[in-house]
Amino acid sequence: MATLSVKPSRRFQLPDWHTNSYLLSTNAQLQRDASHQIRQEARVLRNETNNQTIWDEHDNRTRLVERIDTVNRWKEMLDKCLTDLDAEIDALTQRRGFTILARLFSNS
């Protein structure tokens, strides 16, 4: 069996171990802080987007209801105009008929 003439040294000295441990701890803490910050920003963005969506839907529904009411009012007005025109046409047709009859009877 071969023997070593020099005793192998330790890989890390105690100050190196403390430094490495401190660096690992600091790096982990920075990553946790960054992760927490990203999660908080995502939560805020999600809430703002949700609120904006709710208000946009409310505004769109309100505008749609108002537009439907406007269209219904126009339809009612047009239906009334159509009814009035039909009545006036009927009245004019009757007068025309009476006028034609009156002329026929007055000529004879």
Side-chain angles (χ1 to χ4, degrees):
M1 196 169 15
T3 60
L4 294 175
S5 62
V6 179
K7 182 177 178 185
S9 64
R10 287 185 285 172
R11 210 162 168 197
F12 292 107
Q13 298 295 324
L14 188 58
D16 294 335
W17 184 85
H18 284 295
T19 302
N20 188 37
S21 177
Y22 175 76
L23 289 175
L24 289 174
S25 174
T26 303
N27 189 22
Q29 184 62 40
L30 289 174
Q31 288 179 353
R32 279 192 300 273
D33 290 343
S35 172
H36 178 73
Q37 183 65 27
I38 290 170
R39 286 194 317 271
Q40 293 302 318
E41 290 172 0
R43 183 174 294 129
V44 167
L45 180 61
R46 187 177 61 235
N47 290 338
E48 287 176 354
T49 303
N50 188 37
N51 290 339
Q52 186 67 43
T53 301
I54 289 170
W55 280 109
D56 287 347
E57 285 180 4
H58 177 270
D59 291 342
N60 287 336
R61 288 176 195 269
T62 302
R63 284 196 310 249
L64 185 59
V65 166
E66 290 172 355
R67 181 66 178 149
I68 289 171
D69 289 343
T70 302
V71 168
N72 286 335
R73 280 195 306 271
W74 275 103
K75 183 182 181 301
E76 290 170 4
M77 286 180 8
L78 290 173
D79 286 342
K80 184 180 180 315
C81 286
L82 182 61
T83 304
D84 292 346
L85 283 174
D86 286 341
E88 190 173 342
I89 289 170
D90 290 341
L92 290 172
T93 304
Q94 286 178 356
R95 284 187 204 162
R96 182 175 178 227
F98 291 141
T99 304
I100 291 172
L101 286 176
R103 284 187 186 168
L104 287 175
F105 287 121
S106 67
N107 288 338
S108 46

